Amino acid sequence: MIVFAIVKLPYGWAVRRDDCMMMPAACRAAAVAAAERMVRAFGNQGERAVLQFESAEGNAAG
């Protein structure tokens, strides 16, 4: 399973895949939109992908 996480960083927001930073985003909405596109793209190829949000402590929040 591929996990895309939306994380808050000191400079803004980012989308991470399996603990590796993929792309920075200026705002939370942009990060969520990008991650949702990636989840859909992998889903269209038959891969299982999910979107998670991380808390300030780095724990998955759903």
Side-chain angles (χ1 to χ4, degrees):
M1 175 172 47
I2 300 166
V3 177
F4 292 99
I6 306 300
V7 294
K8 175 71 172 122
L9 300 174
Y11 60 83
W13 294 85
V15 178
R16 287 188 179 161
R17 175 182 171 186
D18 301 326
D19 296 328
C20 298
M21 188 165 100
M22 288 190 61
M23 65 164 270
C27 66
R28 183 179 185 273
V32 170
E36 287 175 339
R37 285 191 302 271
M38 289 183 262
V39 167
R40 273 194 307 275
F42 277 97
N44 289 340
Q45 296 176 16
E47 297 280 341
R48 184 154 190 270
V50 296
L51 174 60
Q52 291 182 341
F53 297 87
E54 290 190 6
S55 68
E57 295 79 32
N59 300 325

